């Protein structure tokens, strides 16, 4: 059984900030910023792709609720939402989780996009590929 399933069923402890029948939010054991929280469905889903749309919507409702609770308790003005789906994206625990990352002045966290420029032709070809689905 995976580590987040064990947290969900109470086999191992966690610093819980929210719980209902289907979802759980708890402090990440390694606080990337103060208040770094993970939101999970209690049921095991490998990653974001494994979630049905309806369950994804339910998960985001909880993310919204928990982010507001954190914001009012910790009084931050900015935060990042992050999901790593797949090893290439940096997923290390294979039970879907959304990272809630409060942001503070000089918090040391870096999330960077080093964007690539595409030509108009490349954009059009890319769009055609995507929109053919
Ligand atoms: P990811 O790299 O997106 O799969 O993130 C996994 C996260 O789970 C990391 O930020 C870990 O610090 C966190 N983590 C792993 N084990 C535990 C645990 N037992 N309790 C709380 N957080 C954990
Ligand atoms: Zn699991």
């Amino acid at each position: 059984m995976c580590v987040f399933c064990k947290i969900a069923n109470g086999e191992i402890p966690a610093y819980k900030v929210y719980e209902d029948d289907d979802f759980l939010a708890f402090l990440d054991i390694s606080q990337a910023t103060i208040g770094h929280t993970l939101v999970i469905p209690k049921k095991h889903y490998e990653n974001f792709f494994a979630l049905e749309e309806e369950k994804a919507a339910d998960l985001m409702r909880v993310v919204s609720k928990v982010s507001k609770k954190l914001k009012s308790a910790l009084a931050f003005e900015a935060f990042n939402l992050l999901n790593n789906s797949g090893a290439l994206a940096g997923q290390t625990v294979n039970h879907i989780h959304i990272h809630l990352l409060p942001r503070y002045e000089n918090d040391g966290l870096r999330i960077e996009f080093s964007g690539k420029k595409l030509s108009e032709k490349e954009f059009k070809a890319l769009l055609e590929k995507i929109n053919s689905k």
Side-chain angles (χ1 to χ4, degrees), residues 15 17 22 34 74 84 89 108 118:
Y15 298 103
V17 301
D22 300 318
I34 295 299
L74 302 177
N84 301 323
L118 295 188

PDB file of all heavy atoms in Angstrom, residues 15 17 22 34 74 84 89 108 118:
ATOM      1  N   TYR A  15       0.027  15.575   9.686  1.00  0.00           N
ATOM      2  CA  TYR A  15      -0.473  16.826  10.266  1.00  0.00           C
ATOM      3  C   TYR A  15      -1.651  17.281   9.423  1.00  0.00           C
ATOM      4  O   TYR A  15      -1.490  17.977   8.415  1.00  0.00           O
ATOM      5  CB  TYR A  15       0.630  17.884  10.273  1.00  0.00           C
ATOM      6  CG  TYR A  15       1.828  17.503  11.117  1.00  0.00           C
ATOM      7  CD1 TYR A  15       3.004  17.060  10.519  1.00  0.00           C
ATOM      8  CD2 TYR A  15       1.771  17.587  12.508  1.00  0.00           C
ATOM      9  CE1 TYR A  15       4.114  16.706  11.293  1.00  0.00           C
ATOM     10  CE2 TYR A  15       2.865  17.230  13.287  1.00  0.00           C
ATOM     11  CZ  TYR A  15       4.031  16.792  12.676  1.00  0.00           C
ATOM     12  OH  TYR A  15       5.114  16.441  13.443  1.00  0.00           O
ATOM     13  N   VAL A  17      -4.880  19.074   7.992  1.00  0.00           N
ATOM     14  CA  VAL A  17      -5.497  20.403   8.041  1.00  0.00           C
ATOM     15  C   VAL A  17      -6.955  20.377   7.554  1.00  0.00           C
ATOM     16  O   VAL A  17      -7.701  21.325   7.782  1.00  0.00           O
ATOM     17  CB  VAL A  17      -4.680  21.482   7.272  1.00  0.00           C
ATOM     18  CG1 VAL A  17      -3.275  21.598   7.830  1.00  0.00           C
ATOM     19  CG2 VAL A  17      -4.627  21.206   5.798  1.00  0.00           C
ATOM     20  N   ASP A  22     -14.056  11.717   1.673  1.00  0.00           N
ATOM     21  CA  ASP A  22     -13.338  11.308   0.467  1.00  0.00           C
ATOM     22  C   ASP A  22     -11.980  11.967   0.271  1.00  0.00           C
ATOM     23  O   ASP A  22     -11.205  11.515  -0.586  1.00  0.00           O
ATOM     24  CB  ASP A  22     -14.196  11.621  -0.771  1.00  0.00           C
ATOM     25  CG  ASP A  22     -15.518  10.880  -0.724  1.00  0.00           C
ATOM     26  OD1 ASP A  22     -15.513   9.695  -0.347  1.00  0.00           O
ATOM     27  OD2 ASP A  22     -16.562  11.495  -1.031  1.00  0.00           O
ATOM     28  N   ILE A  34       6.471  27.724   4.140  1.00  0.00           N
ATOM     29  CA  ILE A  34       5.703  27.482   5.368  1.00  0.00           C
ATOM     30  C   ILE A  34       4.206  27.370   5.040  1.00  0.00           C
ATOM     31  O   ILE A  34       3.624  28.267   4.435  1.00  0.00           O
ATOM     32  CB  ILE A  34       5.952  28.606   6.405  1.00  0.00           C
ATOM     33  CG1 ILE A  34       7.410  28.591   6.854  1.00  0.00           C
ATOM     34  CG2 ILE A  34       5.021  28.462   7.606  1.00  0.00           C
ATOM     35  CD1 ILE A  34       7.852  27.288   7.541  1.00  0.00           C
ATOM     36  N   LEU A  74      -2.611  31.969   7.630  1.00  0.00           N
ATOM     37  CA  LEU A  74      -1.181  32.304   7.504  1.00  0.00           C
ATOM     38  C   LEU A  74      -0.951  33.672   6.861  1.00  0.00           C
ATOM     39  O   LEU A  74       0.186  34.130   6.767  1.00  0.00           O
ATOM     40  CB  LEU A  74      -0.453  31.212   6.702  1.00  0.00           C
ATOM     41  CG  LEU A  74      -0.553  29.792   7.301  1.00  0.00           C
ATOM     42  CD1 LEU A  74       0.131  28.778   6.410  1.00  0.00           C
ATOM     43  CD2 LEU A  74       0.038  29.748   8.708  1.00  0.00           C
ATOM     44  N   ASN A  84       2.351  17.223  -9.886  1.00  0.00           N
ATOM     45  CA  ASN A  84       3.323  16.491 -10.692  1.00  0.00           C
ATOM     46  C   ASN A  84       2.687  15.162 -11.077  1.00  0.00           C
ATOM     47  O   ASN A  84       2.379  14.358 -10.201  1.00  0.00           O
ATOM     48  CB  ASN A  84       4.610  16.246  -9.893  1.00  0.00           C
ATOM     49  CG  ASN A  84       5.257  17.535  -9.435  1.00  0.00           C
ATOM     50  OD1 ASN A  84       5.246  18.524 -10.161  1.00  0.00           O
ATOM     51  ND2 ASN A  84       5.833  17.526  -8.241  1.00  0.00           N
ATOM     52  N   ALA A  89       7.712  14.425 -14.701  1.00  0.00           N
ATOM     53  CA  ALA A  89       7.246  15.707 -14.158  1.00  0.00           C
ATOM     54  C   ALA A  89       7.669  15.882 -12.704  1.00  0.00           C
ATOM     55  O   ALA A  89       7.325  16.878 -12.070  1.00  0.00           O
ATOM     56  CB  ALA A  89       5.730  15.801 -14.285  1.00  0.00           C
ATOM     57  N   GLY A 108      12.584  31.763  -1.156  1.00  0.00           N
ATOM     58  CA  GLY A 108      13.607  30.867  -1.691  1.00  0.00           C
ATOM     59  C   GLY A 108      13.094  29.820  -2.679  1.00  0.00           C
ATOM     60  O   GLY A 108      13.877  29.086  -3.277  1.00  0.00           O
ATOM     61  N   LEU A 118       8.086  29.493 -30.690  1.00  0.00           N
ATOM     62  CA  LEU A 118       7.702  28.734 -31.879  1.00  0.00           C
ATOM     63  C   LEU A 118       7.366  29.721 -32.980  1.00  0.00           C
ATOM     64  O   LEU A 118       6.876  30.822 -32.715  1.00  0.00           O
ATOM     65  CB  LEU A 118       6.467  27.870 -31.608  1.00  0.00           C
ATOM     66  CG  LEU A 118       6.554  26.727 -30.600  1.00  0.00           C
ATOM     67  CD1 LEU A 118       5.276  25.895 -30.647  1.00  0.00           C
ATOM     68  CD2 LEU A 118       7.757  25.829 -30.852  1.00  0.00           C
TER      69      LEU A 118
END
